[in-house]
Amino acid sequence: MTELQFKYSSDQEHQVKAMDAVAELFQGQEFLARDFSGSVARSGAQQQAFTVGHANGIRVSARQLMDNLHAVQEEHCLERTSKLTDGALRDFTVEMETGTGKTYVYIRTIYELNKRYGLTKFIIVVPSIAIREGVKKSFDIMADHFMEYYGKKARFFVYNSSNLNQLDNFSSNSGINVMIINTQAFASSLKEDGRSKEARIIYSKRDEFGSRRPIDVIKANRPIIILDEPQKMGGDATQKALKNFNPLFSLNYSATHAKQHNLIYVLDALDAFNKRLVKKIEVKGFEV
């Protein structure tokens, strides 16, 4: 079996810049590790405390975040954002041409956010089962690589509504924890009034889950959402529905975004070709 080798060198500079663009958004901010606990039903109406969870938390001044965002955008010659996304979900966009290591970049960004700010809970949302399996495989084959560089390994799993105990492990562990989920298995669950089996499970109290709602456990963790190819997931509808997860913020990765939210890094097809990261590009048409 051939062992894949990864290395940090000058030809990977574009990947480091994409990672730093995210990490530098929160430069100078205070990390707030937050533990939480809850209760579950045991033997009838009796309530007992369940395992303490470790949630993401970071004190982000709106002014400081805007200043950091502008600094990142100026560094990469991008138009300055005039107004941040309001509400529970703050979105940031990384545009990277296919074949330039997008998956590697957002996995490494997870490790970097943990190293710099102690953030531990991440959910990767993908548009298909094939991509989901590819992401899981990437975590498998890159584990030793990141262990060598960061001195730790991420705990990762594919969401399965028939194995909700994984959510407790996700919640209670204080290390890097990643849930990978594809929209075919979960998209209808994003809406609280969904009629699919997954929707009923995630939004209803489950006897096998201590009479808790799985969505409440996820919310308490304040996860960071990473969307891989968000333009294939229903666009604004998906972004809106993901607020049910109570995320700290979201990161959008694609080569062809349908809509950009606070753009922080761009590596387009021409840049990728000029840097010899891809062998060729095709032009379908152009306008002057």
Side-chain angles (χ1 to χ4, degrees):
M1 181 178 179
T2 302
E3 182 179 353
L4 295 179
Q5 299 292 326
F6 301 91
K7 64 180 180 179
Y8 297 86
S9 58
S10 58
D11 64 344
Q12 302 302 312
E13 181 181 5
H14 67 286
Q15 297 176 341
V16 176
K17 286 185 175 180
M19 175 196 71
D20 283 341
V22 174
E24 289 170 4
L25 285 171
F26 307 100
Q27 189 171 356
Q29 301 304 300
E30 180 183 359
F31 167 63
L32 303 172
R34 184 174 65 85
D35 293 340
F36 64 91
S37 60
S39 60
V40 296
R42 304 288 190 193
S43 63
Q46 185 180 0
Q47 300 284 315
Q48 293 184 359
F50 68 79
T51 305
V52 171
H54 302 273
N56 284 333
I58 190 168
R59 178 173 289 141
V60 181
S61 157
R63 175 63 180 272
Q64 183 66 55
L65 182 58
M66 181 66 86
D67 288 345
N68 289 347
L69 174 60
H70 287 166
V72 169
Q73 290 172 329
E74 288 173 4
E75 180 181 353
H76 298 291
C77 302
L78 300 173
E79 183 178 354
R80 289 161 57 108
T81 295
S82 59
K83 183 180 180 181
L84 278 172
T85 307
D86 294 325
L89 191 61
R90 281 180 169 162
D91 308 316
F92 301 96
T93 296
V94 174
E95 182 178 311
M96 293 186 69
E97 179 62 17
T98 302
T100 59
K102 169 170 57 69
T103 303
Y104 175 89
V105 165
Y106 66 64
I107 293 177
R108 185 175 173 186
T109 299
I110 287 172
Y111 280 88
E112 192 69 18
L113 289 172
N114 175 261
K115 177 184 177 181
R116 297 195 194 190
Y117 308 110
L119 300 170
T120 61
K121 304 300 164 65
F122 302 85
I123 298 177
I124 299 175
V125 183
V126 299
S128 70
I129 294 174
I131 295 178
R132 182 196 72 190
E133 294 305 307
V135 172
K136 181 178 181 295
K137 186 65 175 178
S138 294
F139 272 98
D140 282 327
I141 65 178
M142 295 178 190
D144 291 339
H145 166 67
F146 287 122
M147 179 65 185
E148 180 180 351
Y149 196 77
Y150 289 96
K152 60 179 64 177
K153 292 186 178 182
R155 295 164 54 99
F156 58 92
F157 69 100
V158 172
Y159 172 82
N160 184 344
S161 60
S162 64
N163 187 6
L164 295 176
N165 289 333
Q166 291 177 314
L167 288 180
D168 266 340
N169 296 333
F170 174 83
S171 178
S172 62
N173 186 268
S174 60
I176 302 174
N177 292 267
V178 183
M179 182 169 77
I180 309 165
I181 192 163
N182 62 287
T183 52
Q184 284 84 355
F186 203 70
S188 56
S189 302
L190 297 173
K191 296 182 179 180
E192 192 158 354
D193 59 353
R195 298 180 180 179
S196 72
K197 177 182 178 182
E198 290 83 5
R200 291 195 300 272
I201 290 175
I202 199 169
Y203 287 109
S204 61
K205 293 183 178 180
R206 312 297 299 176
D207 291 339
E208 70 275 19
F209 198 53
S211 296
R212 291 171 292 159
R213 299 196 316 162
I215 189 64
D216 293 331
V217 175
I218 295 173
K219 283 181 176 181
N221 285 276
R222 297 302 311 276
I224 294 159
I225 303 293
I226 295 174
L227 292 102
D228 189 333
E229 305 290 345
Q231 77 280 3
K232 299 179 181 179
M233 302 184 210
D236 289 342
T238 300
Q239 292 280 347
K240 182 178 179 180
L242 283 169
K243 291 182 180 180
N244 291 327
F245 287 166
N246 191 29
L248 201 63
F249 57 88
S250 74
L251 304 171
N252 301 269
Y253 290 83
S254 178
T256 55
H257 290 279
K259 185 175 182 180
Q260 295 176 341
H261 306 267
N262 303 317
L263 186 63
I264 58 174
Y265 182 79
V266 173
L267 180 68
D268 61 23
L270 185 57
D271 288 334
F273 180 74
N274 289 335
K275 294 176 184 292
R276 298 185 178 181
L277 301 173
V278 295
K279 293 182 179 180
K280 65 179 181 178
I281 59 176
E282 295 181 0
V283 179
K284 293 183 177 179
F286 63 89
E287 293 182 359
V288 176

